[in-house]
Amino acid sequence: MCGIVGYVGKQKASAIILEGLKRLEYRGYDSAGVCVLQGGKLDVAKKAGRVENLVKEVTKHHLTGTTGIGHTRWATHGGVTDANAHPHVSSDGKFALIHNGVIENYSQIKGFLLSKGYTFQSETDTEVLCNLIAYHYAKEPVEGSRSPHGNGQGNGGAIATSRFLESVRKTLRHVEGTYGIAVLCVDYPAELVAARKASPLLLGVGDGEYIIASDASALISRTQNVVYLKDGELVHLTKTGFTITTLDQEDVSPVVDKITWSIKDAEIGTYAHFMEKEIFEQPLALENSMRGRFSEDGSTANFGGLNLTASELRQIDRFMFCACGTAWHACLVTEHLIERFARLPVEVDYASEFRYRNSPLDRNTLFFVMSQSGETIDTLAALREAQRKGYRVLAINNVVGSTIAREANGGIYQHVGPEIGVASTKAFTSQLLLGAMLALYIARLRDMSFSDGVIYVKALKGAPDLVRDALKQAPHIQAIAKRFAHHTDFLFLGRLSLFPLALEGALKLKEISYIHAEGYPAAEMKHGPIALISEKCPSVFFAPKGEIFNKVVSSMQEIKARKGPVIAIITEGCELPPGLADEVITIPDCHEAVLPIVAAVPVQLLSYYIAVERGCDVDKPRNLAKSVTVE
Ligand code: F6R
């Protein structure tokens, strides 16, 4: 939520910042703004709406400076207006600031600042922060100095501690809430101070230039060398170096990591939308997620990153999974598979509920969080709460270096590359795969036989090809989407491991098509939702081959008897009574552990094509943002 980017170097800052903002736009697209330091002044251009509006606005300014900041907003405090767009400038005109997060005690601070004569142009919490820096700066006596050390990069570069840096540090000590910020000061024309608490921020170390950004996509075109900032750290950039210090003024030795993906992975290529690209990328994403993770004898999975020995895992007698949204659906499927194959109880909770629920946890519980971004604030809070209670927390996560990845006690990286479409697709199927592999790993430590393990592994290895097959249904699903796109209510119904897929299908449709949809266990439908059924409300059924096939068919009959249109997703070899389904989508028949992965494809495609048919902005659905870093 909200994307921030800042540049200090030799190039025209506005061009690099605008490019970064385009890549960060998935984090929020209510407004965008840029500020460049030039001629001893802060030149701000900002506009409600998308980055493309800002690009037009910027052409009216002559932004040639080489130090600047930019922001793309997901509104929290204050409506979507030009005035509330970031950057905000302090009332004395000395500071410009961009912010991702929420300042919880902003009204007290605002009251204090008003009493001191500061004025405000916006309704945001961010402007308060900016003015508080100005207040501390005005009070800060003399320029302190610290001896230079290092080699010009990373706690070197002969940077003297400054009034600028200290006023930001002092301000942040008074702040409650979350922030990723970047600040410019007119008195320091080639410098930038940035800091973070709970909101993501990384520093790109380029060739004679530094870029700070909310995520790597905004800087990857200029450098692959990054420093992931930790909570409570401030980075001070100049043209020749940077220092990292803590809120307590301690020096931090930076660790420079290399990003393993490239700009090409974050580009849309020939696809119309990132969501489409990511749906079709799933076979490759699954291959990347499973690569090197099966044992040599082909009977189990290997996860080095769990940091747990087999005998430690044997002590575990219960699992707890916490996540949000689509990742929570992946946890529900994982629950089903662990219980089914490893015969151990699993509890799944919404991270946002867990953190306040104070639920009793058993001593031998192993705690997992799942998060594509690794920055979802509720999931992070659940992780911290579990760690506070003394639990070891493992994470299934896609973004290397994300806060959750760094704070977890171990985990499994998804390795699916950047997911840019706001609606999660390839990250979801990768989470399903890794959940299935985890179930196998635990099951093989317990009662699953070698030969059953071999069958399971073979099935998982076949998942990418099965997904390729399922994707061939795209033209057929597109035609179904055209037929049903005008409906305003949908039910998604499935049982057992496909009940979470019904939830996921409904969520996908809601979020990108703005169609009301509900996911239900197929048999539960008659306990209430059946009242919604009429010719105006289609039901999408998962009806795979197996023991419950006939039961699901009975549920379809009940819908049909009430004139409800039926879209049936069946597996190869299944036969439905003639005339029962209005549309049938056939997916490959497969192992139970792989079925949810393959079944995800038709509902992803259905919601995608319906959204396109309705003219919706698929990659930037209204009110949403990719990485939910506010509570
Ligand atoms: C829906 C979607 C969201 C996310 C949720 C958690 O398509 O993408 O529901 O799944 O916000 O995000 P992560 O996995 O980044 O923690």
Side-chain angles (χ1 to χ4, degrees):
M1 312 222 124
C2 296
I4 70 176
V5 55
Y7 179 82
V8 176
K10 300 185 200 110
Q11 307 297 319
K12 206 166 125 182
S14 61
I16 291 162
I17 290 167
L18 285 174
E19 193 203 323
L21 291 182
K22 282 183 200 148
R23 295 194 185 278
L24 289 180
E25 206 175 10
Y26 71 87
R27 301 179 64 86
Y29 27 86
D30 290 332
S31 62
V34 60
C35 173
V36 169
L37 245 172
Q38 50 191 23
K41 283 209 326 255
L42 295 164
D43 202 331
V44 177
K46 55 185 189 175
K47 206 77 199 137
R50 303 279 162 98
V51 174
E52 63 196 50
N53 291 1
L54 174 65
V55 172
K56 286 186 209 132
E57 184 66 19
V58 163
T59 53
K60 297 182 200 154
H61 297 242
H62 192 58
L63 299 183
T64 52
T66 59
T67 304
I69 53 178
H71 186 269
T72 174
R73 178 170 187 240
W74 187 84
T76 57
H77 293 63
V80 178
T81 61
D82 291 353
N84 287 335
H86 300 211
H88 291 284
V89 175
S90 57
S91 56
D92 63 2
K94 274 193 184 298
F95 292 91
L97 183 142
I98 48 174
H99 171 217
N100 166 27
V102 172
I103 305 303
E104 285 163 6
N105 56 342
Y106 86 102
S107 57
Q108 293 98 299
I109 300 175
K110 191 167 183 174
F112 168 76
L113 289 168
L114 283 167
S115 74
K116 298 282 174 198
Y118 286 82
T119 55
F120 295 87
Q121 313 300 319
S122 77
E123 306 150 284
T124 64
D125 50 341
T126 304
E127 197 184 2
V128 169
L129 202 52
C130 192
N131 275 315
L132 191 59
I133 294 172
Y135 168 79
H136 283 297
Y137 186 77
K139 284 187 49 184
E140 191 75 18
V142 272
E143 195 80 62
S145 84
R146 59 173 48 193
S147 28
H149 51 102
N151 57 7
Q153 291 212 330
N155 283 16
I159 297 171
T161 194
S162 64
R163 252 176 106 187
F164 176 20
L165 174 62
E166 294 316 317
S167 54
V168 177
R169 196 189 320 270
K170 268 200 187 126
T171 297
L172 295 179
R173 287 192 191 132
H174 289 89
V175 157
E176 286 162 24
T178 59
Y179 53 81
I181 56 164
V183 195
L184 300 178
C185 175
V186 279
D187 297 340
Y188 297 79
E191 297 188 19
L192 182 156
V193 174
R196 69 158 280 183
K197 183 182 161 204
S199 300
L201 198 61
L202 65 160
L203 166 67
V205 182
D207 185 10
E209 62 184 18
Y210 301 100
I211 305 164
I212 60 101
S214 302
D215 86 38
S217 62
L219 51 81
I220 187 88
S221 66
R222 307 209 57 93
T223 180
Q224 284 184 296
N225 299 322
V226 294
V227 179
Y228 296 102
L229 296 175
K230 296 198 187 77
D231 275 359
E233 289 182 353
L234 296 96
V235 59
H236 181 188
L237 306 180
T238 72
K239 279 191 164 51
T240 53
F242 68 92
T243 58
I244 301 179
T245 49
T246 66
L247 280 180
D248 300 328
Q249 243 176 328
E250 315 241 303
D251 278 334
V252 175
S253 295
V255 179
V256 182
D257 281 300
K258 200 150 196 97
I259 297 169
T260 51
W261 50 274
S262 73
I263 187 73
K264 213 169 142 270
D265 298 310
E267 276 172 355
I268 197 160
T270 54
Y271 291 95
H273 300 98
F274 276 105
M275 184 180 178
E276 185 192 20
K277 176 186 182 226
E278 287 155 8
I279 290 173
F280 282 90
E281 234 169 43
Q282 290 180 108
L284 185 64
L286 292 169
E287 276 159 15
N288 289 338
S289 288
M290 68 172 71
R291 182 164 299 120
R293 284 179 164 159
F294 289 113
S295 64
E296 271 178 26
D297 69 4
S299 74
T300 189
N302 281 325
F303 294 112
L306 294 184
N307 301 331
L308 278 172
T309 62
S311 64
E312 281 169 323
L313 259 174
R314 284 274 335 176
Q315 308 307 312
I316 303 299
D317 47 34
R318 191 168 164 274
F319 289 85
M320 176 85 199
F321 282 78
C322 277
C324 301
T326 286
W328 182 77
H329 298 155
C331 292
L332 292 179
V333 175
T334 306
E335 171 188 26
H336 178 88
L337 294 176
I338 294 178
E339 291 192 343
R340 163 94 173 78
F341 290 102
R343 310 292 305 146
L344 282 173
V346 180
E347 189 180 344
V348 178
D349 204 352
Y350 287 111
S352 53
E353 289 295 300
F354 172 81
R355 63 182 294 194
Y356 292 116
R357 213 157 59 85
N358 199 18
S359 84
L361 290 178
D362 189 69
R363 199 152 50 93
N364 296 327
T365 298
L366 184 58
F367 202 100
F368 271 89
V369 291
M370 249 195 226
S371 172
Q372 186 285 129
S373 62
E375 301 295 349
T376 301
I377 195 92
D378 288 320
T379 310
L380 180 60
L383 172 152
R384 287 177 178 163
E385 176 65 7
Q387 284 178 334
R388 193 191 57 74
K389 289 183 167 170
Y391 287 90
R392 185 199 288 258
V393 181
L394 304 178
I396 297 180
N397 160 241
N398 188 36
V399 179
V400 176
S402 61
T403 309
I404 286 177
R406 282 184 285 115
E407 293 198 13
N409 305 93
I412 307 171
Y413 274 125
Q414 297 183 231
H415 296 311
V416 298
E419 189 181 66
I420 293 165
V422 165
S424 185
T425 51
K426 65 174 179 175
F428 175 61
T429 44
S430 147
Q431 286 163 350
L432 295 179
L433 171 74
L434 293 169
M437 290 172 71
L438 186 66
L440 165 70
Y441 181 52
I442 300 159
R444 286 284 292 129
L445 292 175
R446 294 178 164 261
D447 294 334
M448 186 187 273
S449 70
F450 175 81
S451 53
D452 284 346
V454 170
I455 293 167
Y456 195 122
V457 168
K458 200 161 166 251
L460 289 180
K461 283 185 173 168
D465 280 339
L466 294 172
V467 168
R468 267 183 204 104
D469 280 353
L471 286 167
K472 290 183 188 146
Q473 295 285 326
H476 175 48
I477 295 172
Q478 191 168 15
I480 299 175
K482 274 190 199 311
R483 179 174 169 188
F484 287 96
H486 64 282
H487 285 79
T488 51
D489 293 286
F490 272 74
L491 278 186
F492 285 76
L493 301 159
R495 298 189 72 158
L496 305 176
S497 67
L498 297 189
F499 160 54
L501 267 292
L503 295 176
E504 176 63 6
L507 177 63
K508 287 283 97 85
L509 192 65
K510 275 187 269 218
E511 65 180 331
I512 60 167
S513 307
Y514 320 139
I515 293 175
H516 167 247
E518 288 188 41
Y520 253 86
E524 270 296 301
M525 170 271 300
K526 57 189 176 293
H527 297 285
I530 197 164
L532 295 172
I533 295 304
S534 73
E535 62 277 16
K536 290 192 179 143
C537 177
S539 297
V540 180
F541 274 94
F542 290 103
K545 197 189 263 177
E547 54 193 319
I548 47 124
F549 179 74
N550 288 336
K551 307 274 178 205
V552 178
V553 169
S554 302
S555 302
M556 281 185 207
Q557 303 274 19
E558 288 153 14
I559 296 282
K560 207 66 209 160
R562 287 157 185 86
K563 298 195 170 54
V566 168
I567 301 169
I569 300 170
I570 60 168
T571 47
E572 268 160 10
C574 288
E575 282 212 21
L576 290 172
L580 180 57
D582 297 78
E583 294 286 356
V584 178
I585 302 166
T586 308
I587 55 172
D589 186 23
C590 50
H591 189 282
E592 221 182 309
V594 182
L595 181 63
I597 301 172
V598 180
V601 174
V603 287
Q604 291 171 344
L605 287 171
L606 186 67
S607 51
Y608 171 70
Y609 288 125
I610 288 180
V612 171
E613 195 57 31
R614 291 166 70 96
C616 298
D617 191 345
V618 172
D619 284 335
K620 298 188 187 76
R622 71 181 177 212
N623 306 336
L624 288 173
K626 181 91 186 144
S627 178
V628 186
T629 53
V630 295
E631 241 194 90

